[in-house]
């Protein structure tokens, strides 16, 4: 039998009553900013908030385009801005929330593959994990302790 490489990926499910103040703040910021998203094509509004090691929080949303591939996800929007402006400040946590236009409740969202790869980049740059908090339709947080739980077997080393 051939050798097998196995990894364990897990998400912690956190009920609303058990959220920390920090988690509640990050989710609130993601919920607020998703309302300002430019998503006329998918009508799927996404907000992302990023906590830095100095306690500052920045947020952004998805920006779609009539030429669909030009659109940018909320996670990459906030990471590009923050890492461009504060290249030496470590990102600690990113929270994501989503809603379908016209609906009241929240939609379950997890970062797309490109966003996962971008989160991975800043884990490499700073040498530490970035926690990913994802809101689901029951308003629980699904918490990934680092990108390895969302992107196992990821590309993170040019030298093999
Ligand atoms: N989207 C995000 O902004 N973040 C995610 O985590 C999932 C997807 C956006 C991309 C597109 O504008 C819309 O949601 C539908 O895919």
């Amino acid at each position: 039998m051939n050798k097998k490489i196995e990894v364990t990926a897990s998400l912690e499910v956190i009920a609303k009553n058990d959220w920390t103040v920090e988690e509640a703040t990050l989710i609130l910021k993601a919920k607020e900013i998703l309302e300002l998203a430019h998503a006329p094509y998918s009508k799927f509004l996404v907000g992302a908030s990023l906590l830095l090691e100095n306690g500052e929080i920045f947020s952004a949303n998805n920006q779609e385009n009539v030429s669909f591939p030009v659109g940018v996800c909320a996670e990459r929007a906030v990471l590009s801005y923050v890492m461009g402006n504060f290249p030496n400040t470590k990102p600690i946590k990113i929270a994501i929330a989503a809603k379908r236009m016209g609906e009241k409740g929240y939609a379950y969202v997890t970062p797309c593959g490109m966003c996962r790869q971008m989160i991975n980049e800043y884990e490499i740059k700073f040498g530490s994990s970035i926690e990913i908090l994802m809101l689901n339709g029951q308003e629980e947080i699904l918490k990934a302790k680092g990108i390895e739980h969302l992107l196992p077997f990821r590309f993170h080393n040019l030298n093999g």
Side-chain angles (χ1 to χ4, degrees), residues 39 42 44 46 62-64 72-75 96 109-112 115:
S42 73
F44 193 74
V46 186
N62 52 331
Q63 294 295 317
E64 295 185 350
V72 179
C73 293
E75 298 92 319
I96 310 146
V109 65
T110 72
C112 79
C115 291

Side-chain angles (χ1 to χ4, degrees), residues 3-69:
K3 193 177 148 192
K4 226 178 173 180
I5 302 173
E6 285 183 302
V7 296
T8 304
S10 62
L11 302 177
E12 191 182 328
V13 182
I14 312 172
K16 212 169 184 178
N17 288 340
D18 298 327
W19 294 0
T20 63
V21 172
E22 191 171 79
E23 287 165 347
T25 305
L26 282 166
I27 293 291
L28 178 64
K29 300 250 181 214
K31 283 178 172 178
E32 284 174 353
I33 204 74
L34 75 82
E35 301 290 349
L36 307 181
H38 177 63
Y41 307 105
S42 73
K43 303 189 184 335
F44 193 74
L45 312 172
V46 186
S49 57
L50 186 71
L51 172 68
L52 301 178
E53 62 180 342
N54 62 9
E56 281 197 273
I57 297 174
F58 291 88
S59 53
N61 46 36
N62 52 331
Q63 294 295 317
E64 295 185 350
N65 194 280
V66 64
S67 173
F68 292 0

Side-chain angles (χ1 to χ4, degrees), residues 86-137:
F86 311 104
N88 300 316
T89 312
K90 191 197 286 187
I92 306 285
K93 300 181 185 200
I94 187 165
I96 310 146
K99 196 184 251 186
R100 285 177 202 90
M101 205 179 276
E103 290 185 9
K104 212 160 168 274
Y106 291 93
Y108 175 45
V109 65
T110 72
C112 79
M114 281 206 282
C115 291
R116 292 177 193 208
Q117 189 66 31
M118 191 162 182
I119 294 166
N120 174 60
E121 186 63 25
Y122 297 106
E123 285 201 357
I124 296 170
K125 175 171 177 176
F126 291 94
S128 64
S129 296
I130 299 174
E131 206 168 87
I132 302 126
L133 306 171
M134 299 156 280
L135 191 69
N136 72 11

